[in-house]
Amino acid sequence: MITDLRPPAMEPAELIWQDGVPESARFGDVYFSRDDGLAETRYVFIERNGLPGRFAELDRNSHFVIAETGFGTGLNFLATWAEWLAQRPDDQDHAILHFISVERYPLALADLEKALESWPGLQPLARELIDNYPPLIKGTHRLVLGGGAIRLTLCFGDVLDAWNELEFVADAWFLDGFAPSLNPDMWLEKAIHQIRAHSQPGTTLATFTSVGRVRRALADEGFEMAKVPGFGRKREMLTGRLPTSEEVSAPTVGTDPIVIIGAGIAGAALARNLAERGVPVVLADQASGPGAGASGNDQGALYVKLGVEYNDQTELAATALCFSQRFYQRWQGEFWHPSGLLQLAATDQEQDRQKRFLERSSYPENLLGAVSPTEASRIAGIPVQREGLWFPGSGWLQPARACKTLIEHPLIHTIFGFKAGTLRWADNHWVIQASDGRSLRAAKVVVAAGHESTALAPVPEGQSLRLKPIRGQVTRIPADDCQLPDVVICGTKYLNPAYDGSAITGATFDLRDDNPEPTPKGHQENLDQLRELLPSVNISEHIQAEHLQGRVGFRCTTHDYQPVAGPCPGNDETAGPGVYLLTGFGSKGLVWAPLLAEYLADRICQQPACLNTRLARRVETGRLYRNQLTV
């Protein structure tokens, strides 16, 4: 149980258990009916919103959005998921259920698991929810479930903050939470105004309560309200609907192919995300195969460096790390190896920074925790001389293999050896012209070509795009010539566990070096700094830098070292919309790619965004454009 409420920790719900039913100690109310909570949920929320019929009538490739004011035990969500499966048994129709819920006092994982034991018929779904339940940190968490058919946007925090910062339009509302007399803040007029702001003609709502001031406030916002019989001992409840003069059809994703330029981890993750939503993709790259650029290393560490202060930048990094850990789970043992990761305070300066980080922040232990040199040594399996941070859910990937695996999908068509030279607008389409004369046409294009994106992305006349390459060289160390750790260790350098007789360490950070080939100097730098970081690795003295193997990649970095994902400004008045940027990941592409692919796919498909507006501003494209005369 988290009791330290320095950011970003959330105050968890305190439960009282009565005959297997959880009750909130704070509000003095049960989370679900003592008689039959599942039947109550189906009656109040699913049936009163007309969801069985609405789910069944939904078109292929469309989506349906439900918003809820209190996640609680997740029972409403699981019951809705089960109803979705009952009405849409075809898991290949690419329709998506978006479920958006806010919880100020989230349940601890153990309490969630105990609460959901009451519903054996929901156990397969409950197990998937539990396995993906995020750490209790403030913010917005996107859970992709059911093979992508279910997308849960779970917001830990205040309901007003959530509705102010999230972009979505609900088709139905579950106005849950405890009774208004027990939880008055949830029923403030401001909250009900936000409910209207996130609704459209035809949006419905249902709530347990029949309190008059709630009914009047919703009616004042334009909902046609009605009292109907309640469930069980509850005599009455409320339903509502925004009137509409015509039938409202659910939005659908386009079936025209989207062209993605770049088959590194960014392009591969986005291609897979779009394909699983039913969007055909043409993935083009100048190399002979995927993962040939900065994403081509044999091993890569999954980590971020969280800020001392929990600001928007730190929140974005923490959100990306949690999302990427969940995303890669399905490929565990294939290209994802969740060994855990130690982030060492490798210098006195870094030791001071970590001390300040721990003084000002509180994170749940299933995300990260401080460890002493003794604890770090036990975890790593080799002596470690510095304290650090332990990330139990992190580890390492095989990036090139990840890119190859991600693009194996029937809706992804690949074109390799395609060196894109120009991107121009002609006849209401974007035309990508290759250097060999071939061309591609598409209404929507995503430029995910790393530092080479500057040559393709539309740039208004007189402006430039602030992207730059940074050379990074990694070194392969034979396992027989050193003592390798059991986990990933990072500090001034990173070192992976042994795989296939060797391990990757690195990388150099060469700002003004454009040499694409590994050099003995780069290998020597990696060896020297690794020996300083981890003397216990015992790198054999007979190893010569000029005899080592390695690889060079050019990371793409923005001027503010933050990633970019979003639509590009139009090139001129004659150019249409439809060009997007996905790049600037620096050395953290393995962490950024899954979340920002999810976010950009949300934008392209016009579905609820997984990032709130504060975090979306951190990755928007406009900040990269500057006048060429600006110093």
Side-chain angles (χ1 to χ4, degrees):
M1 189 70 70
I2 299 171
T3 56
D4 185 349
L5 292 182
R6 289 169 297 165
M10 291 296 299
E11 182 178 358
E14 184 180 349
L15 304 186
I16 299 171
W17 294 89
Q18 299 283 354
D19 300 323
V21 176
E23 178 180 316
S24 169
R26 175 178 295 273
F27 298 114
D29 200 1
V30 294
Y31 277 86
F32 46 74
S33 169
R34 296 187 185 278
D35 297 328
D36 191 337
L38 181 56
E40 181 182 47
T41 287
R42 287 171 173 160
Y43 177 87
V44 173
F45 295 120
I46 294 175
E47 294 176 11
R48 299 289 80 76
N49 274 298
L51 297 185
R54 295 168 78 182
F55 286 174
E57 294 168 2
L58 203 64
D59 292 335
R60 293 173 61 89
N61 292 76
S62 58
H63 67 275
F64 194 94
V65 181
I66 295 173
E68 178 187 51
T69 52
F71 188 72
T73 65
L75 178 59
N76 294 343
F77 166 67
L78 293 175
T80 307
W81 183 358
E83 185 63 36
W84 177 270
L85 294 177
Q87 301 300 331
R88 306 194 71 84
D90 180 6
D91 61 0
Q92 297 300 314
D93 75 354
H94 299 299
I96 296 176
L97 172 64
H98 279 271
F99 196 100
I100 303 167
S101 187
V102 183
E103 183 54 64
R104 176 63 181 83
Y105 303 100
L107 268 65
L109 181 61
D111 286 335
L112 180 73
E113 193 163 6
K114 181 178 179 180
L116 294 178
E117 289 175 353
S118 302
W119 318 110
L122 296 176
Q123 280 313 295
L125 308 185
R127 186 72 260 163
E128 189 171 351
L129 171 63
I130 291 164
D131 290 344
N132 287 274
Y133 195 60
L136 300 193
I137 60 174
K138 184 178 181 180
T140 303
H141 306 271
R142 168 65 61 83
L143 279 61
V144 181
L145 307 167
I150 311 297
R151 281 175 153 83
L152 170 62
T153 305
L154 185 54
C155 308
F156 290 156
D158 180 76
V159 67
L160 284 178
D161 291 341
W163 298 152
N164 279 327
E165 295 179 354
L166 290 174
E167 295 182 359
F168 69 93
V169 176
D171 297 294
W173 283 90
F174 293 1
L175 301 187
D176 201 353
F178 302 105
S181 60
L182 300 171
N183 191 13
D185 289 345
M186 184 168 289
W187 301 102
L188 290 171
E189 291 184 5
K190 289 182 179 179
I192 292 178
H193 179 71
Q194 284 295 324
I195 288 169
R196 174 62 183 89
H198 287 286
S199 301
Q200 63 184 343
T203 295
T204 62
L205 62 85
T207 177
F208 290 111
T209 187
S210 59
V211 173
R213 66 184 179 90
V214 174
R215 177 179 55 80
R216 290 189 294 273
L218 287 165
D220 288 345
E221 291 290 348
F223 286 93
E224 295 177 339
M225 301 300 298
K227 284 186 178 181
V228 299
F231 177 83
R233 304 173 192 177
K234 182 76 173 176
R235 189 173 65 179
E236 294 177 318
M237 59 168 281
L238 295 175
T239 63
R241 183 176 183 272
L242 276 180
T244 177
S245 58
E246 57 186 33
E247 183 178 348
V248 177
S249 59
T252 59
V253 300
T255 56
D256 292 334
I258 292 175
V259 171
I260 300 175
I261 306 297
I265 192 65
L270 179 61
R272 183 59 173 248
N273 197 304
L274 289 169
E276 290 187 345
R277 299 185 195 223
V279 180
V281 173
V282 175
L283 182 65
D285 195 287
Q286 63 182 335
S288 59
S295 303
N297 293 338
D298 291 335
Q299 291 180 300
L302 188 76
Y303 77 102
V304 295
K305 192 170 184 178
L306 298 172
V308 171
E309 307 292 343
Y310 196 74
N311 51 27
D312 291 349
Q313 181 174 330
T314 306
E315 182 179 341
L316 179 62
T319 302
L321 179 62
C322 294
F323 186 88
S324 64
Q325 291 173 354
R326 293 191 297 270
F327 174 78
Y328 293 125
Q329 279 181 8
R330 64 197 281 194
W331 293 287
Q332 182 172 338
E334 188 172 351
F335 63 74
W336 165 232
H337 307 274
S339 62
L341 181 143
L342 279 170
Q343 196 171 92
L344 299 184
T347 64
D348 291 342
Q349 181 182 5
E350 184 60 24
Q351 187 174 6
D352 176 69
R353 184 186 183 278
Q354 281 197 9
K355 179 182 177 182
R356 289 184 286 116
F357 170 80
L358 293 169
E359 287 173 348
R360 301 179 192 182
S361 307
S362 176
Y363 289 82
E365 290 184 356
N366 61 342
L367 179 56
L368 67 90
V371 291
S372 66
T374 300
E375 292 170 313
S377 299
R378 177 186 57 79
I379 290 169
I382 61 173
V384 175
Q385 298 176 339
R386 293 271 190 172
E387 61 265 36
L389 302 175
W390 168 238
F391 292 78
S394 281
W396 61 277
L397 290 89
Q398 296 162 264
R401 187 174 178 184
C403 294
K404 182 177 183 299
T405 302
L406 288 171
I407 66 174
E408 292 174 350
H409 190 283
L411 289 181
I412 300 175
H413 174 67
T414 59
I415 302 176
F416 294 109
F418 185 95
K419 183 173 177 56
T422 60
L423 176 66
R424 59 185 177 85
W425 180 253
D427 298 327
N428 294 319
H429 280 79
W430 290 100
V431 179
I432 307 102
Q433 194 76 37
S435 57
D436 61 4
R438 290 181 295 168
S439 64
L440 295 170
R441 290 170 55 87
K444 294 181 180 179
V445 177
V446 180
V447 180
H451 67 279
E452 296 184 0
S453 299
T454 53
L456 289 174
V459 179
E461 186 176 354
Q463 295 190 4
S464 61
L465 198 60
R466 291 186 283 184
L467 295 172
K468 60 182 178 182
I470 298 178
R471 181 183 184 272
Q473 179 176 327
V474 299
T475 301
R476 181 190 300 277
I477 302 176
D480 293 340
D481 293 321
C482 58
Q483 185 177 352
L484 294 171
D486 298 328
V487 303
V488 181
I489 298 180
C490 59
T492 48
K493 295 292 178 183
Y494 68 84
L495 177 64
N496 291 289
Y499 180 76
D500 199 21
S502 64
I504 298 296
T505 187
T508 63
F509 194 85
D510 308 319
L511 283 169
R512 297 174 180 85
D513 189 344
D514 59 2
N515 184 357
E517 299 299 327
T519 65
K521 178 183 176 183
H523 288 322
Q524 193 63 54
E525 177 187 324
N526 286 334
L527 290 178
D528 291 345
Q529 292 193 18
L530 181 58
R531 286 188 174 110
E532 183 178 352
L533 174 68
L534 292 167
S536 59
V537 172
N538 291 326
I539 301 172
S540 174
E541 291 298 331
H542 78 264
I543 290 182
Q544 300 297 316
E546 58 266 25
H547 297 146
L548 289 173
Q549 295 182 334
R551 191 175 181 280
V552 169
F554 289 89
R555 317 170 183 99
C556 179
T557 307
T558 62
H559 66 291
D560 57 7
Y561 293 94
Q562 290 291 282
V564 60
C568 296
N571 191 21
D572 54 51
E573 293 182 358
T574 63
V579 178
Y580 303 82
L581 263 181
L582 183 64
T583 189
F585 294 175
S587 61
K588 305 297 188 294
L590 299 177
V591 171
W592 289 125
L595 177 66
L596 296 187
E598 177 77 5
Y599 170 69
L600 189 53
D602 289 339
R603 297 287 304 271
I604 291 171
C605 297
Q606 300 180 57
Q607 295 178 11
C610 65
L611 296 182
N612 61 39
T613 53
R614 286 185 296 105
L615 301 191
R617 281 194 293 269
R618 300 293 309 178
V619 302
E620 61 92 20
T621 58
R623 73 185 207 281
L624 300 187
Y625 291 81
R626 66 172 179 180
N627 293 329
Q628 292 177 338
L629 296 179
T630 301
V631 178

